[in-house]
């Protein structure tokens, strides 16, 4: 119901939202509203971080780290890239930022030098190396090292979920955030990705709002709940929690 309402509003916004480039340099169509949600989050986040007091330092730290993926997303989706190579650079930055934010969240929960944080950081570093190798070769970033990228996404997603289940004081909230995160990435893999095996068009507006944009909304909800969850803790609690790995 909520998603249907959002789609209805998105459809009404089509006539007022500026129409930017209709395709990415690799030929993939760019839905009309793609990226504008990210811009709204960046603007709201910048105002909140600069104007509002944040009494909880861990919550602010997580918000600052999370905002990075939205800033990079704006550059990727809203800025026209003049060449295919520049598009690959922007895509590499986008994929790396997603992995980086996973590591930030795990570090905020368990500490910089915990085993969980080290494992996640290693995954981010490995992903970044594959991006640099692909760019150096002039290869399509999206098609290179796909198995390794998927394995890293699964590892970081499950690791962060385990950390949140262990750390969030409210067991229901911790489990809910973890399950929603897993559901969001399952939706992305099977419905919202470029090679999705399921073609489900529920909650979409063809040409303006596609399944991948639904995934962006789900990710935003997850991030909001993660900020709510970290706000229920204090630094000594967070540093003492985590799965056995941490």
């Amino acid at each position: 119901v909520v998603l249907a309402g959002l789609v209805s509003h998105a459809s009404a916004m089509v006539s007022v939202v500026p129409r930017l480039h209709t395709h990415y340099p690799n030929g993939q169509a760019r839905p009309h509203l793609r990226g504008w949600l990210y811009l709204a989050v960046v603007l709201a986040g910048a105002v909140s971080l600069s104007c509002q007091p944040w009494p909880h330092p861990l919550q602010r730290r997580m918000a600052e780290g999370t905002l990075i993926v939205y800033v990079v997303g704006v550059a990727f989706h809203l800025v026209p890239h003049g060449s295919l190579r520049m598009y690959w650079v922007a895509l590499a930055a986008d994929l790396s930022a997603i992995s980086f934010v996973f590591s930030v969240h795990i570090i905020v929960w368990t500490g910089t030098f915990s085993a969980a944080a080290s494992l996640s950081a290693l995954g981010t570093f490995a992903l970044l190396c594959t991006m640099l190798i692909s760019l150096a070769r002039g290869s399509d970033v999206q098609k290179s090292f796909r198995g390794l990228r998927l394995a890293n996404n699964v590892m970081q997603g499950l690791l962060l979920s385990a950390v949140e289940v262990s750390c969030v004081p409210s067991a229901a909230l911790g489990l809910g955030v973890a399950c929603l995160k897993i559901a969001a990435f399952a939706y992305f893999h099977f419905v919202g990705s470029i090679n999705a095996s399921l073609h489900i068009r529920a909650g979409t507006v063809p040409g303006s709002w596609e399944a991948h944009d639904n995934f962006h909304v789900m990710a935003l909800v997850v991030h909001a709940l993660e900020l709510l969850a970290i706000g229920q803790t204090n630094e000594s609690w967070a540093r003492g929690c985590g799965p056995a790995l941490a």
Side-chain angles (χ1 to χ4, degrees):
V1 175
V2 174
L3 186 57
L6 288 172
V7 170
S8 176
H9 285 297
S11 181
M13 287 170 57
V14 169
S15 60
V16 297
V17 173
R19 184 171 292 280
L20 302 179
H21 50 293
T22 59
H23 288 77
Y24 297 101
N26 67 342
Q28 181 182 349
R30 175 189 166 275
H32 185 185
L33 298 177
R34 176 73 52 82
W36 291 102
L37 174 65
Y38 276 24
L39 180 60
V41 172
V42 169
L43 295 176
V47 170
S48 180
L49 288 171
S50 61
C51 300
Q52 297 296 325
W54 286 66
H56 199 301
L58 291 180
Q59 195 176 48
R60 182 184 179 90
R61 205 173 305 160
M62 181 176 286
E64 290 171 340
T66 304
L67 200 60
I68 291 173
V69 77
Y70 291 95
V71 172
V72 175
V74 167
F76 177 53
H77 292 298
L78 293 184
V79 176
H81 305 293
S83 67
L84 185 58
R85 184 170 182 80
M86 287 306 300
Y87 168 77
W88 286 342
V89 170
L91 177 58
D94 186 60
L95 296 173
S96 299
I98 293 171
S99 179
F100 174 77
V101 168
F102 270 102
S103 292
V104 167
H105 283 220
I106 293 172
I107 288 171
V108 170
W109 276 115
T110 66
T112 305
F113 301 106
S114 69
S118 298
L119 181 58
S120 181
L122 181 61
T124 298
F125 177 73
L127 180 68
L128 179 59
C129 288
T130 65
M131 298 291 106
L132 293 175
I133 292 172
S134 297
L135 291 174
R137 290 176 175 174
S139 304
D140 186 339
V141 169
Q142 198 161 33
K143 296 179 179 179
S144 302
F145 299 100
R146 295 175 68 175
L148 189 149
R149 193 165 66 243
L150 176 59
N152 183 64
N153 289 343
V154 171
M155 181 273 289
Q156 288 187 306
L158 292 178
L159 187 56
L160 179 55
S161 296
V163 166
E164 289 167 340
V165 169
S166 301
C167 294
V168 179
S170 167
L173 179 58
L175 185 60
V177 170
C179 289
L180 182 56
K181 188 193 327 300
I182 293 172
F185 277 94
Y187 178 86
F188 167 77
H189 183 73
F190 293 108
V191 182
S193 68
I194 190 172
N195 297 307
S197 57
L198 301 178
H199 301 285
I200 299 175
R201 294 293 172 257
T204 66
V205 179
S208 297
W209 187 273
E210 301 293 349
H212 189 82
D213 301 293
N214 289 338
F215 166 71
H216 286 174
V217 174
M218 296 172 73
L220 177 59
V221 172
V222 169
H223 288 154
L225 291 176
E226 287 171 334
L227 287 172
L228 174 65
I230 196 70
Q232 296 182 354
T233 69
N234 55 55
E235 191 146 357
S236 60
W237 169 282
R239 293 298 180 262
C241 73
L245 180 63

